[in-house]
């Protein structure tokens, strides 16, 4: 029952995410009334970027701070209930199960600590002047992929299909349907350079899902690492009753590998998906707001050598990256969104989500690939 509620919540929030994305566009007024930046405000990795780069707290940071407080009590629930990228990965995984039930499995468990290394590397690099959060943040990745790759292709394909049906006998059916779909389409067909690159990066995330469920979330997501760090002692925890038969069905059903072979529960990896409750044959597993048995807990894989390496790379990378970027001047065609901050501040704040490109009516704003310096 709870798992079905979670799935409904995931789908509803994913629909809301796409709806806000579609409505991030010029509508004839200077102000967009909808909270199109809602999911970015819920993302502490995005909201804390200006703080690490310039010591500035953004106005909407209270949203993500409230989620961090809830995470202390409820654990890493955002990944299992709120994250739109997590919902996409779950839908993709279930589709793969239907198409190819015996797909090849591979464990990336040797990368278990990488998400913490990526988090430390990006925050350290940001502090020392190189903002790379845009490359790893899941909300930004999904928004940018849909906005610059998926949505323009959908827009073009839809118009081509209905234009081809206009002078046929099917027009009596196609035109009313087109009238229903038209509000979702752009007034002018958008084209973005780098759209294939964004799609390729997102494809790699989906490819990981083919080999291991939620591979991105388990090993690489720095936002997941933040939620995990704040889940050090959640009140909501897994409880195993006396009817447990040690069949390890719970371990097989766990999305993020929060249960190991000894049936120890890693509370900082659990995303409260409740799969373990559903797949347990004797129904010996439950969740409750009670104290957790420390003898049955597994700790997150934090390796000091890896963390020190991540911090060191975060300190060393910015000087080399920034010096390399100064070897050539920016392209004379380079423009920034109207009202943008001065160039250095703009680069330290911008997470390359693509919202400004979505709003641009004439498709004049494009992703900067090699036109700007590497900084």
């Amino acid at each position: 029952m709870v798992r079905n509620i979670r799935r409904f919540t995931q789908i509803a929030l994913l629909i809301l995410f796409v709806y806000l994305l579609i409505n991030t566009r010029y509508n004839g007024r200077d102000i967009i009334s909808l909270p199109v930046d809602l999911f970015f405000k819920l993302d502490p990795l995005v909201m804390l970027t200006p703080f690490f780069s310039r010591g500035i707290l953004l106005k909407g940071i209270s949203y993500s701070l409230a989620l961090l407080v809830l995470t202390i009590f409820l654990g890493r629930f955002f990944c299992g209930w709120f994250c739109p990228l997590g919902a996409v990965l779950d839908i993709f995984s279930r589709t793969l199960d239907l198409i190819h039930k015996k797909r090849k499995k591979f464990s990336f468990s040797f990368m278990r600590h990488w998400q913490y290394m990526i988090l430390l590397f990006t925050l350290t690099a940001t502090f020392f002047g190189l903002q790379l959060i845009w490359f790893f943040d899941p909300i930004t990745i999904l928004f940018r992929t849909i906005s610059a790759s998926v949505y323009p292709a959908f827009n073009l394909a839809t118009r081509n299909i209905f234009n081809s049906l206009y002078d046929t006998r099917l027009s009596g059916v196609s035109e009313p349907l087109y009238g229903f779909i038209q509000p979702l389409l752009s007034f002018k067909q958008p084209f973005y350079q780098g759209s294939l690159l964004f799609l390729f990066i997102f494809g790699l995330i989906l490819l990981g899902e083919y080999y291991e469920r939620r591979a991105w979330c388990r090993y690489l997501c720095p936002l997941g690492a933040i939620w995990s760090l704040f889940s050090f002692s959640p009140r909501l925890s897994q409880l195993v009753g006396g009817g447990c038969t040690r069949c390890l069905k719970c371990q097989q059903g766990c999305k993020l590998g929060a249960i190991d072979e000894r049936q120890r529960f890693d509370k900082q990896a659990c995303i409260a998906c409740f799969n373990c409750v559903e797949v347990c044959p004797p129904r010996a597993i439950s969740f409750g707001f009670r104290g957790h048995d420390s003898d049955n807990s597994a700790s997150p894989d934090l390796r000091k050598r890896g963390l020190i390496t991540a911090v060191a790379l975060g300190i060393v990378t910015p000087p080399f990256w920034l010096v390399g970027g100064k070897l050539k001047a920016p392209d004379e065609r380079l423009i920034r969104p109207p009202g943008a901050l001065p160039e250095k501040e703009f680069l330290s704040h911008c997470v390359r989500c693509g919202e400004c490109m979505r709003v641009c009516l004439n498709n004049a704003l494009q992703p900067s690939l090699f036109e700007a310096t590497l900084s």
Side-chain angles (χ1 to χ4, degrees):
M1 178 64 180
V2 178
R3 186 167 63 168
N4 291 333
I5 295 175
R6 178 186 59 80
R7 287 174 177 172
F8 174 81
T9 303
Q10 277 187 296
I11 294 173
L13 290 175
L14 178 59
I15 293 174
L16 176 62
F17 179 85
V18 175
Y19 176 76
L20 294 177
L21 183 152
I22 292 174
N23 284 279
T24 307
R25 57 186 175 183
Y26 182 72
N27 56 10
R29 295 178 294 178
D30 294 336
I31 297 177
I32 300 176
S33 58
L34 292 172
V36 294
D37 58 349
L38 173 62
F39 283 88
F40 293 103
K41 288 182 177 179
L42 296 174
D43 184 343
L45 192 58
V46 169
M47 298 305 290
L48 289 173
T49 297
F51 177 76
F52 278 92
S53 61
R54 296 283 173 177
I56 299 172
L57 290 177
L58 296 180
K59 185 177 180 180
I61 197 172
S62 57
Y63 290 84
S64 56
L65 291 180
L67 278 180
L68 288 175
V69 172
L70 285 176
T71 300
I72 295 175
F73 295 96
L74 301 179
R76 193 176 165 180
F77 73 98
F78 181 91
C79 302
W81 292 70
F82 279 43
C83 182
L85 179 56
V88 171
L89 293 178
D90 285 345
I91 293 171
F92 183 72
S93 182
R94 289 179 65 84
T95 304
L96 286 177
D97 287 336
L98 294 174
I99 298 174
H100 189 30
K101 294 183 178 180
K102 295 183 178 180
R103 65 180 192 258
K104 188 176 180 180
K105 300 292 184 180
F106 180 81
S107 176
F108 298 93
S109 56
F110 65 94
M111 299 165 54
R112 187 79 185 190
H113 60 292
W114 282 25
Q115 61 178 330
Y116 302 103
M117 292 177 61
I118 291 173
L119 175 63
L120 272 178
F121 167 71
T122 52
L123 292 181
T124 305
T126 299
F127 181 79
F128 284 97
L130 179 61
Q131 202 270 93
L132 292 176
I133 288 174
W134 61 271
F135 191 79
F136 297 103
D137 178 68
I139 306 297
T140 302
I141 290 173
L142 183 61
F143 190 99
R144 186 171 55 230
T145 302
I146 297 177
S147 177
S149 300
V150 177
Y151 180 79
F154 167 78
N155 194 86
L156 182 61
T158 301
R159 290 191 183 279
N160 287 341
I161 291 172
F162 283 100
N163 286 340
S164 64
L165 295 175
Y166 182 74
D167 292 326
T168 67
R169 295 179 180 179
L170 297 175
S171 61
V173 177
S174 64
E175 285 306 293
L177 182 59
Y178 180 70
F180 177 76
I181 297 176
Q182 191 174 18
L184 302 177
L185 305 178
S186 293
F187 176 75
K188 183 178 180 180
Q189 173 60 42
F191 295 94
Y192 298 107
Q193 67 174 6
S195 60
L196 289 179
L197 174 62
F198 302 145
L199 194 63
F200 174 75
I201 293 173
F202 188 70
L204 292 178
I205 296 176
L206 295 181
L207 180 62
E209 193 69 19
Y210 178 85
Y211 292 100
E212 189 171 11
R213 296 180 67 184
R214 291 286 192 108
W216 161 263
C217 308
R218 293 189 190 201
Y219 309 120
L220 299 176
C221 181
L223 179 57
I226 292 179
W227 302 126
S228 181
L229 290 173
F230 274 79
S231 303
F232 54 89
S233 184
R235 296 296 298 170
L236 180 65
S237 60
Q238 186 201 56
L239 301 165
V240 181
C244 176
T245 60
R246 302 286 179 178
C247 65
L248 293 182
K249 291 284 186 181
C250 55
Q251 183 204 21
Q252 297 167 15
C254 184
K255 286 186 179 184
L256 257 69
I259 305 173
D260 64 13
E261 293 81 3
R262 297 171 59 186
Q263 215 167 6
R264 294 180 303 174
F265 175 64
D266 183 355
K267 56 183 176 295
Q268 291 183 270
C270 177
I271 59 173
C273 67
F274 297 98
N275 276 8
C276 56
V277 177
E278 297 290 333
V279 301
C280 180
R283 294 291 186 266
I285 298 176
S286 63
F287 275 77
F289 290 94
R290 284 169 281 181
H292 189 69
D293 183 5
S294 59
D295 294 334
N296 196 39
S297 300
S299 301
D301 191 0
L302 295 175
R303 302 180 182 180
K304 291 182 180 179
R305 185 178 300 176
L307 299 182
I308 293 173
T309 301
V311 173
L313 285 175
I315 296 173
V316 172
T317 302
F320 287 98
W321 188 293
L322 297 174
V323 169
K326 300 303 179 183
L327 294 178
K328 76 180 188 72
D331 193 298
E332 61 182 10
R333 298 171 298 170
L334 180 70
I335 61 173
R336 295 303 187 192
L341 296 170
E343 183 70 4
K344 190 173 182 179
E345 294 180 44
F346 173 79
L347 291 174
S348 65
H349 283 64
C350 177
V351 292
R352 284 72 161 174
C353 64
E355 279 197 325
C356 58
M357 297 188 299
R358 282 283 302 149
V359 172
C360 183
L361 180 62
N362 292 318
N363 199 204
L365 294 176
Q366 294 287 322
S368 174
L369 299 177
F370 301 105
E371 291 80 9
T373 62
L374 291 177
S375 59

